[in-house]
Amino acid sequence: MQEITVNGKDFDTPEEVYEFLAEKLELPGESDGNLSALYDVLLNLSDDIRLILNLTEVEDDAMMEILERIAEILTDAADTSEYLEVSIKQ
């Protein structure tokens, strides 16, 4: 199982988070930085992946709001995909 940790404190924009996930998950180019596309890609995983979203040291309220939205997308995808496990640290 591949394990990917996203430390929220390391990002300043949602694009940075998406780019990080795109690199780690080797997302196809057509994903376009779109969270809806990210959700679709997560549903089509064929290898086991554990995503850990660490929100513990995020100080910027706007970024926290964005990361919480990303957390919702990740957990929704995990509820549907048999290959995705998501853990949120708050």
Side-chain angles (χ1 to χ4, degrees):
M1 174 180 288
Q2 179 183 6
E3 186 170 288
I4 299 168
T5 300
V6 179
N7 288 309
K9 68 181 177 101
D10 295 339
F11 302 97
D12 295 317
T13 66
E15 292 80 18
E16 290 176 358
V17 177
Y18 184 85
E19 288 172 13
F20 175 82
L21 288 172
E23 178 185 327
K24 294 294 184 184
L25 295 170
E26 300 175 4
L27 300 182
E30 69 267 10
S31 299
D32 239 2
N34 177 316
L35 292 178
S36 244
L38 173 62
Y39 177 82
D40 292 340
V41 169
L42 291 172
L43 291 184
N44 292 311
L45 292 173
S46 58
D47 295 321
D48 290 334
I49 299 213
R50 181 165 192 245
L51 279 170
I52 301 166
L53 182 57
N54 184 350
L55 305 176
T56 57
E57 295 181 36
V58 177
E59 295 179 5
D60 182 88
D61 290 339
M63 192 62 199
M64 179 59 90
E65 187 174 318
I66 291 163
L67 289 167
E68 287 174 342
R69 176 65 185 126
I70 291 171
E72 286 178 32
I73 290 166
L74 296 176
T75 54
D76 286 351
D79 287 344
T80 304
S81 173
E82 64 184 271
Y83 297 103
L84 180 63
E85 179 184 327
V86 174
S87 176
I88 311 293
K89 294 182 179 181
Q90 295 183 321

